[in-house]
Amino acid sequence: MNKNYYAILMAGGVGSRFWPVSTTEFPKQFHDMLGSGDTLIQKTFSRLSKLIPVENILILTNEKYNNLVLEQLPMVKQEQVLLEPAMRNTAPCILYASLKIKKQNPDAVMVVAPSDHWIEDEALFTENLKQCFDFCSNEDSLMTLGIKPTSPNTGFGYIEYNKSDNNPIKTVNQFREKPDYETAKSFLASGNFLWNGGIFIWSVKSIVEAFEKFQPQMTGLFLKGFENYNTNSEANFINENYANAENVSIDYAILEKAKNVYVLPATFDWNDLGTWGSLHEKLDKDENNNAVVNATVLLKNSSSNIISTSKDKLVIIDGLEDFIVVDKDNVLLIYPKSKEQEIKGVVASLKQ
């Protein structure tokens, strides 16, 4: 294990498109969404610990999920759990974690990874990650692992890389926002576009310098507390100052502005598990393309559905096609898969 390798595991999201299983109190990263026996955060932690020392993996999460993290990852110490007192998108929390790591080890190289993605071939993931770590150890670079698109998906951002770059690691031309369907089709036809999977790799030196250059105000705010990091006064400083940071993503704050951005087209199978439909893709299906989590089912004239209930529930369905059927506690959701992006809005209106 290389003591200079670190990871920042992002585990603060709510995953509201997976309602009613994923809730504000118990988000999807803490659920065993695929019935594998491990929750998504447990799978991600285990995958990263194949290359990175366990004590060098930091978990960034909302303060209300602290106990969930410690319950599900008993090998983690409290000081490895970085608690966000306010929701401020990805840039502030990455800067906070990076400065904390810099104080501990200025030679560190790190990966920033979401805690709720599904990666099938973990050996290939480790191989790709090691390739990125080697590159970032020797070059002043901000790197991302790009995912080869399998469809003109409008739910992802895209990375456009330099077509004439024949190196395995490509220079990035630009990041592109989530496109409409026709634009996504043109991206795929171009052949030099990848999905932005939100997995980033860089040295602590390169990312802190990038923040100093492109986000001087935010950097100043967090540098004020540098002497507090990794001490008993860290939590007080963060609680008093964190909410003053701008609410901005790492893509917009840094990566869209920097010139030293590179991408490695990933060779592993990846799924962001962002919706019930993406979960349907990963689960085993019957001969009519129905996927079932936990339930006992009797299905007639029904195809392409995903059905998730508590264990031992008997579900009988006739004549249903391409639907999400989820029974959880006091909520029953029956919703067309084609409208799954609307579930987030449904949850928001229920709160109102």
Side-chain angles (χ1 to χ4, degrees):
M1 289 279 176
N2 190 322
K3 65 179 182 4
N4 289 338
Y5 288 177
Y6 283 74
I8 300 172
L9 194 49
M10 312 284 280
V14 176
S16 52
R17 288 185 185 89
F18 269 113
W19 183 85
V21 168
S22 181
T23 62
T24 310
E25 294 71 39
F26 207 107
K28 69 169 178 173
Q29 58 269 29
F30 302 109
H31 288 275
D32 176 9
M33 296 300 297
L34 291 119
S36 67
D38 288 313
T39 65
L40 294 175
I41 193 172
Q42 287 171 333
K43 292 287 288 182
T44 307
F45 191 94
S46 161
R47 186 163 59 242
L48 291 171
S49 66
K50 289 181 170 67
L51 188 64
I52 297 158
V54 163
E55 64 275 14
N56 288 2
I57 302 176
L58 305 182
I59 293 95
L60 267 164
T61 192
N62 192 285
E63 53 191 10
K64 66 175 129 182
Y65 306 139
N66 185 52
N67 290 342
L68 275 172
V69 169
L70 295 173
E71 276 166 31
Q72 296 201 2
L73 303 173
M75 68 295 284
V76 162
K77 297 187 177 78
Q78 179 64 69
E79 56 264 30
Q80 287 170 256
V81 186
L82 279 58
L83 302 174
E84 302 167 80
M87 299 284 264
R88 281 294 178 275
N89 216 314
T90 50
C93 61
I94 289 171
L95 175 57
Y96 163 36
S98 300
L99 290 172
K100 190 174 159 66
I101 292 169
K102 181 185 178 179
K103 191 176 178 195
Q104 190 180 330
N105 182 352
D107 298 322
V109 186
M110 71 181 87
V111 57
V112 178
S115 61
D116 53 1
H117 289 181
W118 180 256
I119 289 168
E120 201 94 38
D121 192 329
E122 299 199 338
L124 272 181
F125 170 79
T126 305
E127 208 176 282
N128 283 182
L129 189 54
K130 177 76 170 67
Q131 206 176 337
C132 295
F133 274 160
D134 289 346
F135 187 82
C136 293
S137 298
N138 298 308
E139 306 281 341
D140 175 22
S141 57
L142 306 175
M143 271 202 74
T144 179
L145 275 168
I147 312 299
K148 291 171 187 171
T150 53
S151 65
N153 196 305
T154 58
F156 299 135
Y158 284 72
I159 300 160
E160 181 188 348
Y161 63 83
N162 184 349
K163 229 175 190 171
S164 59
D165 192 337
N166 294 319
N167 296 305
I169 290 169
K170 319 282 187 190
T171 50
V172 170
N173 286 351
Q174 59 179 329
F175 285 78
R176 303 289 286 264
E177 298 298 322
K178 293 176 183 176
D180 59 34
Y181 186 69
E182 290 305 315
T183 308
K185 283 206 302 194
S186 73
F187 286 174
L188 260 68
S190 301
N192 61 323
F193 282 80
L194 301 164
W195 287 336
N196 181 1
I199 302 171
F200 306 110
I201 305 95
W202 39 57
S203 68
V204 73
K205 184 174 183 290
S206 291
I207 191 61
V208 171
E209 282 177 1
F211 267 103
E212 285 170 341
K213 183 175 181 182
F214 299 114
Q215 298 295 328
Q217 195 174 349
M218 192 186 294
T219 308
L221 172 71
F222 282 98
L223 274 176
K224 276 194 316 184
F226 194 70
E227 64 189 41
N228 304 105
Y229 296 143
N230 308 327
T231 73
N232 292 335
S233 56
E234 178 180 327
N236 276 346
F237 172 79
I238 290 299
N239 286 332
E240 286 169 16
N241 291 278
Y242 195 88
N244 298 327
E246 188 186 349
N247 188 345
V248 60
S249 72
I250 190 73
D251 304 58
Y252 186 76
I254 303 293
L255 296 170
E256 290 180 14
K257 298 175 168 66
K259 296 283 180 269
N260 57 333
V261 184
Y262 296 83
V263 63
L264 175 66
T267 54
F268 52 82
D269 187 28
W270 172 92
N271 190 303
D272 84 323
L273 291 186
T275 62
W276 286 109
S278 60
L279 179 61
H280 179 269
E281 284 174 30
K282 296 313 301 172
L283 292 168
D284 292 334
K285 267 86 71 180
D286 67 12
E287 65 277 10
N288 295 312
N289 201 34
N290 296 299
V292 178
V293 183
N294 289 330
T296 304
V297 295
L298 178 60
L299 302 174
K300 290 183 175 182
N301 311 311
S302 297
S303 61
S304 301
N305 301 298
I306 178 165
I307 299 146
S308 171
T309 72
S310 54
K311 278 202 166 110
D312 308 322
K313 176 149 286 199
L314 176 62
V315 181
I316 302 159
I317 294 175
D318 189 350
L320 201 62
E321 188 177 336
D322 212 34
F323 264 75
I324 301 158
V325 180
V326 184
D327 184 42
K328 175 77 172 143
D329 299 331
N330 61 341
V331 177
L332 173 63
L333 175 77
I334 303 171
Y335 217 80
K337 251 203 297 102
S338 60
K339 295 183 174 181
E340 63 178 4
Q341 295 291 346
E342 296 173 13
I343 292 174
K344 189 174 185 175
V346 171
V347 178
S349 60
L350 284 172
K351 281 177 185 164
Q352 288 167 11

